[in-house]
Amino acid sequence: MANEQTSYSAVTCVNCNLDKLCIPKGLDPSDVGELALRVNRNNIRQKGEVIYHAGSTFRGIVALRSGSAKLLSYDGDGNELIVDFILPGELLGFDGFAKQTHNCTAIALETVNFCHLPAYRLDMLVGNTSNLSHILLQRSCDQFDFQVQKALFNRRTAEERVAYFIVALSDRLKLRGYSEMEFRFSMSREEIGNYLGITQETVSRIFHHFQAMNMIEIKAKRLKIIDKKKLSS
Amino acid sequence: MANEQTSYSAVTCVNCNLDKLCIPKGLDPSDVGELALRVNRNNIRQKGEVIYHAGSTFRGIVALRSGSAKLLSYDGDGNELIVDFILPGELLGFDGFAKQTHNCTAIALETVNFCHLPAYRLDMLVGNTSNLSHILLQRSCDQFDFQVQKALFNRRTAEERVAYFIVALSDRLKLRGYSEMEFRFSMSREEIGNYLGITQETVSRIFHHFQAMNMIEIKAKRLKIIDKKKLSS
DNA sequence: CGTACAATTGAACGAAGTCAATTGGTGTGG
DNA sequence: CCACACCAATTGACTTCGTTCAATTGTACG
């Protein structure tokens, strides 16, 4: 956001001025030394340049040293949604950890300097792919991914949200061995509306509308999906 | 969502039918046995009962075995926002990891049965508070918390969003040693609008309005905050 | 200094919200 | 087992906030 021209030549995590914000915050001092040895420093990008791309393989965690960046995601129609603005000392890359593929793109908003902890070295520190630390970090990142997804469809119309909600719930139930075409809501209209960011009245009207269009049959909390394909669009 | 009455008596993570979804998914088989020894099983809550409360100390990760739940957060005015609906095999509790205090509440939507991995046992498996695994998990959960925060203020009016954006940015810059009262935006109006879920025109109008109210002075990308207190309300 | 893009400003429209009345479902006690 | 009460869901009428479209002004950079 502002200009700060420092000589980074001799800087490591051990004497970095961002140690109260970045990964070292709260980290055991001995581990900071360990970390410093594994981080690539002084990566530069100019304004508008990409730090990493959605769809690319996860290559590790990025820590911004100076400048600012935007983290964005794309919806189905290619519209971009800015998930976060990144300032010095903040971390980037968690969007690629769970699936090992980034689902966000990071772009510099001005000249940036960043450090990079490569994935394979991250594994050396955190442990291999199948141990618990790794799995929990993965699950946590999953939840983050999901929140990004949710933010994306919060841009859509009320109808699209409700349709998406039904389809997503159906898919999740199927995965758990329940019927994907017929099930019972355990939540009220108000709770659905709250979750989707619309009112219960709107939920009700849209259910009615979908029924009129022969996509679903709904009676109180029982739902029967007639045309899941139509619903998905 | 549906009824499934199984005898859970002899069930451990090793032979649980949710092993393709829950923590064990992707976990090394030897670690699953390890995990099984540390998990408390057969915790029951009835419809409407709380699994954990916002504000309470983090006590570990919860894995839903049957039933469904809602995960919700409260805004400043006590309005609830449903962050997620939880189905069997899904995990709960990451909202408490970063700050060691839950910022969400989990409530059963119907009778639920869940497993519980206590925090101190989690530490035994993941390592102590200051090692890298722990820190990274914490940072990742931080990002999750932030997305929840963002979802919360997406319910607010365009004016509140813009005000919040300015204040939050000011605070973040201050934390990094920059001036909190006067700075330069590195992002365009369009990017601000995209981030806040409103159009650039609306951003522009609201900036103008805040200036007319003597809360800020804005000229192109330079912003000067006149009355931060007023802006925060 | 001019060009291209960014930001502002205005006017009209529309999707979803609000408020209010009605209907429907469920569980409980007579 | 029915009837009542209570809460959930539906439906309608009206309002509003923010969008959209379009025209204009401002700003940065070659």
Side-chain angles (χ1 to χ4, degrees):
Chain A
M1 298 298 294
N3 314 327
E4 189 183 327
Q5 298 303 337
T6 317
S7 160
Y8 294 133
S9 47
V11 175
T12 75
C13 296
V14 181
N15 59 4
C16 176
N17 62 323
L18 293 170
D19 62 338
K20 294 286 172 288
L21 298 161
C22 191
I23 298 183
K25 178 187 160 200
L27 188 63
D28 195 87
S30 66
D31 286 14
V32 175
E34 189 82 354
L35 176 70
L37 294 171
R38 293 184 158 85
V39 166
N40 300 328
R41 268 172 294 280
N42 270 321
N43 301 279
I44 309 285
R45 294 288 182 284
Q46 300 303 323
K47 179 177 176 171
E49 288 182 353
V50 166
I51 299 171
Y52 58 77
H53 242 121
S56 67
T57 307
F58 175 70
R59 279 202 214 79
I61 296 293
V62 164
L64 208 63
R65 290 224 50 212
S66 69
S68 57
K70 61 178 175 179
L71 181 66
L72 49 90
S73 181
Y74 296 95
D75 70 9
D77 309 333
N79 305 309
E80 67 177 52
L81 169 94
I82 297 177
V83 174
D84 207 356
F85 293 116
I86 313 295
L87 298 184
E90 294 180 332
L91 304 181
L92 269 169
F94 287 112
D95 58 272
F97 191 86
K99 299 195 198 66
Q100 293 292 302
T101 299
H102 285 290
N103 52 26
C104 294
T105 298
I107 297 180
L109 286 172
E110 54 196 329
T111 305
V112 294
N113 181 316
F114 62 89
C115 299
H116 178 226
L117 177 59
Y120 71 96
R121 289 182 179 156
L122 187 68
D123 288 350
M124 288 166 65
L125 295 166
V126 173
N128 74 341
T129 329
S130 60
N131 83 359
L132 189 68
S133 297
H134 215 280
I135 295 290
L136 282 178
L137 186 54
Q138 202 171 85
R139 296 287 186 283
S140 158
C141 289
D142 256 336
Q143 306 244 334
F144 174 72
D145 291 348
F146 183 74
Q147 289 304 312
V148 172
Q149 278 305 110
K150 210 187 152 191
L152 264 176
F153 90 72
N154 260 310
R155 297 292 144 94
R156 313 209 142 270
T157 64
E159 285 212 346
E160 289 173 311
R161 293 186 209 188
V162 173
Y164 183 88
F165 173 74
I166 296 171
V167 171
L169 190 54
S170 162
D171 288 344
R172 283 165 83 189
L173 289 171
K174 183 186 181 185
L175 199 65
R176 284 161 180 79
Y178 302 115
S179 164
E180 61 170 319
M181 299 311 270
E182 201 168 357
F183 50 86
R184 206 185 150 278
F185 288 120
S186 59
M187 65 293 278
S188 69
R189 297 289 189 275
E190 191 173 7
E191 286 168 328
I192 295 172
N194 182 316
Y195 177 70
L196 296 176
I198 54 183
T199 58
Q200 49 176 334
E201 290 95 327
T202 304
V203 174
S204 204
R205 280 185 247 268
I206 290 170
F207 276 167
H208 182 86
H209 183 213
F210 283 168
Q211 190 163 36
M213 290 176 78
N214 262 313
M215 293 158 85
I216 59 170
E217 260 177 41
I218 191 158
K219 197 172 179 211
K221 302 219 162 171
R222 290 224 77 81
L223 177 83
K224 191 173 178 179
I225 300 178
I226 309 288
D227 191 341
K228 193 167 174 179
K229 217 164 197 171
K230 212 198 251 177
L231 210 55
S232 306
S233 55
Chain B
M1 299 298 292
N3 313 327
E4 189 183 325
Q5 299 302 338
T6 318
S7 160
Y8 293 133
S9 46
V11 174
T12 76
C13 295
V14 181
N15 59 5
C16 176
N17 60 324
L18 293 170
D19 61 338
K20 294 286 173 289
L21 299 161
C22 192
I23 299 183
K25 177 187 160 199
L27 189 62
D28 195 88
S30 67
D31 286 15
V32 175
E34 190 83 352
L35 176 70
L37 294 171
R38 293 181 157 87
V39 165
N40 299 329
R41 270 172 294 279
N42 269 321
N43 301 279
I44 308 286
R45 293 289 182 283
Q46 301 302 324
K47 180 177 177 172
E49 288 181 353
V50 166
I51 299 171
Y52 59 77
H53 243 120
S56 67
T57 306
F58 175 71
R59 280 203 213 79
I61 296 293
V62 164
L64 207 63
R65 291 223 48 213
S66 69
S68 57
K70 61 178 174 180
L71 180 67
L72 49 91
S73 181
Y74 296 95
D75 70 8
D77 310 333
N79 305 309
E80 67 177 52
L81 169 93
I82 297 177
V83 173
D84 207 357
F85 293 116
I86 313 295
L87 298 183
E90 295 179 332
L91 304 182
L92 270 169
F94 287 111
D95 57 272
F97 192 84
K99 298 196 201 64
Q100 293 292 303
T101 300
H102 285 290
N103 51 27
C104 295
T105 298
I107 296 180
L109 286 171
E110 55 195 327
T111 305
V112 294
N113 182 316
F114 62 89
C115 300
H116 178 227
L117 177 60
Y120 71 95
R121 288 182 180 157
L122 188 68
D123 288 349
M124 288 166 65
L125 295 166
V126 172
N128 74 340
T129 329
S130 61
N131 82 0
L132 189 68
S133 296
H134 215 281
I135 295 290
L136 282 178
L137 186 53
Q138 203 170 85
R139 295 289 185 284
S140 157
C141 289
D142 256 337
Q143 306 245 333
F144 174 72
D145 291 348
F146 182 74
Q147 289 304 313
V148 171
Q149 278 306 109
K150 211 187 151 193
L152 263 177
F153 90 70
N154 260 310
R155 297 291 144 94
R156 312 209 142 270
T157 64
E159 286 213 344
E160 289 173 311
R161 292 185 209 188
V162 174
Y164 182 88
F165 173 73
I166 296 172
V167 172
L169 190 54
S170 162
D171 288 345
R172 284 165 81 187
L173 289 171
K174 182 187 182 184
L175 199 65
R176 284 162 182 79
Y178 302 115
S179 164
E180 61 170 319
M181 300 310 270
E182 199 166 358
F183 50 87
R184 204 186 151 277
F185 289 119
S186 59
M187 64 294 276
S188 69
R189 299 288 189 275
E190 190 172 8
E191 287 167 329
I192 295 172
N194 181 316
Y195 177 69
L196 296 176
I198 54 184
T199 58
Q200 50 176 335
E201 291 95 328
T202 304
V203 174
S204 205
R205 280 184 248 269
I206 290 170
F207 276 166
H208 180 87
H209 183 215
F210 283 168
Q211 190 163 36
M213 289 176 79
N214 263 313
M215 295 158 83
I216 60 170
E217 259 176 42
I218 191 156
K219 195 172 180 211
K221 302 221 161 169
R222 290 224 76 81
L223 177 82
K224 190 174 180 178
I225 301 179
I226 310 288
D227 191 340
K228 194 166 174 181
K229 217 164 197 171
K230 213 199 249 176
L231 210 56
S232 306
S233 54

